Amino acid sequence: MRAEYASVPWLAPISDLMPHVLAADFTQAFIGRDWMIQSLLPGVPVPQLLGSYPKGAHSAFFRRIGKIAAAVHAVAGPWFGLVTGPGHARWSEAVVASLHLIAEGVESCGLDAADLRKAADAAQAGAHVLDDVTVPRLLTGDLRTVNTMLAEGASVPTICGVLDLDRTWWGDPEADWPARMARAKQDERLSFFEACPAPADTAGVRWRRHVYEVRHLGALRLERHRLGNRAGVRDSYPAVAAELSALTCGR
């Protein structure tokens, strides 16, 4: 919650889509925990409404996601890493630190995180490739269907709200969650890149994507564990292994 609150001023380019913070208290003096009150967003959650549109219309939705992401990525920041800090002078430092942090979270759940530690070591060894990214850009961290609202009754799926951006950080736009999900299937999701163009497909860009994918898979392992999805947790290990193989062979 504190991360979301701290991100609000930086998310000004999409403020018309976001709830307004009406009140917040982090002293924990009143109810023993942090709290924040936000305005109510209009619309219907995307998972409930998008399926009612024909598949051909879904491209408009993903194109709009790309436009929102591009507006956020245009914001340059003071350091690499979480918006709330700690800040890092180099992108490689932020990436390696985040991989170790995710590994700690996985281990705290009683799960094996040796593969994530190996990925952190590989990222450290390839720090010079990561450090080709020199400008910290604002990343949404969690811009996805469940965190967006659609206008009810619109002729095409029209995003009217964005919420729950509590995982913002400064870094490479290619590391952002919506860019990853736009590549998840070769379908209308690729319309994302019409509004948020990907960089030239160089060896360095491809290698960095493998690092970012391990980070995403590690975060998903934690989320699946939280939700009791044992099969999903189990499946994350061979998926990370495939990315590790690409990392050690492709640098």
Side-chain angles (χ1 to χ4, degrees), residues 80-92:
F80 290 105
L82 297 175
V83 167
T84 53
H88 300 272
R90 295 181 176 85
W91 178 225
S92 60

Side-chain angles (χ1 to χ4, degrees), residues 73-128:
H73 296 165
V75 179
W79 57 65
F80 290 105
L82 297 175
V83 167
T84 53
H88 300 272
R90 295 181 176 85
W91 178 225
S92 60
E93 295 171 355
V95 172
V96 171
S98 72
L99 284 166
H100 280 303
L101 187 63
I102 293 171
E104 290 172 9
V106 168
E107 290 165 347
S108 72
C109 297
L111 300 171
D112 183 14
D115 54 350
L116 302 179
R117 299 288 189 187
K118 289 179 182 177
D121 291 341
Q124 183 62 65
H128 61 288

Side-chain angles (χ1 to χ4, degrees), residues 44-237:
V44 179
V46 169
Q48 296 179 23
L49 190 57
L50 185 60
S52 66
Y53 289 94
K55 274 284 187 178
H58 290 194
S59 293
F61 169 77
F62 290 105
R63 195 176 300 112
R64 179 59 173 158
I65 287 285
K67 186 175 181 179
I68 294 169
V72 173
H73 296 165
V75 179
W79 57 65
F80 290 105
L82 297 175
V83 167
T84 53
H88 300 272
R90 295 181 176 85
W91 178 225
S92 60
E93 295 171 355
V95 172
V96 171
S98 72
L99 284 166
H100 280 303
L101 187 63
I102 293 171
E104 290 172 9
V106 168
E107 290 165 347
S108 72
C109 297
L111 300 171
D112 183 14
D115 54 350
L116 302 179
R117 299 288 189 187
K118 289 179 182 177
D121 291 341
Q124 183 62 65
H128 61 288
V129 183
L130 289 165
D131 290 337
D132 283 340
V133 178
T134 58
V135 179
R137 296 291 179 179
L138 184 59
L139 311 184
T140 69
D142 207 19
L143 178 60
R144 54 190 177 128
T145 54
V146 298
N147 289 339
T148 48
M149 307 287 283
L150 290 180
E152 195 168 10
S155 58
V156 295
T158 303
I159 296 175
C160 63
V162 174
L163 65 151
D164 205 22
L165 296 186
D166 60 348
R167 300 184 184 186
T168 53
W169 58 319
W170 301 107
D172 179 2
E174 282 291 289
D176 207 359
W177 179 257
R180 187 258 187 181
M181 292 308 296
R183 294 188 177 91
K185 291 184 179 180
Q186 297 297 301
D187 57 12
E188 61 276 357
R189 300 183 193 199
L190 293 174
S191 298
F192 172 91
F193 296 108
E194 295 175 17
C196 189
D201 192 29
T202 65
V205 167
R206 290 192 296 272
W207 189 84
R208 288 193 292 272
R209 283 180 190 150
H210 289 299
V211 176
Y212 305 155
E213 180 62 10
V214 173
R215 186 181 180 280
H216 291 313
L217 289 168
L220 283 171
R221 184 180 296 170
L222 276 172
E223 182 70 3
R224 289 166 178 170
H225 174 77
R226 183 182 70 83
L227 297 173
N229 182 355
R230 295 182 180 180
V233 170
R234 185 172 59 250
D235 291 346
S236 72
Y237 288 93

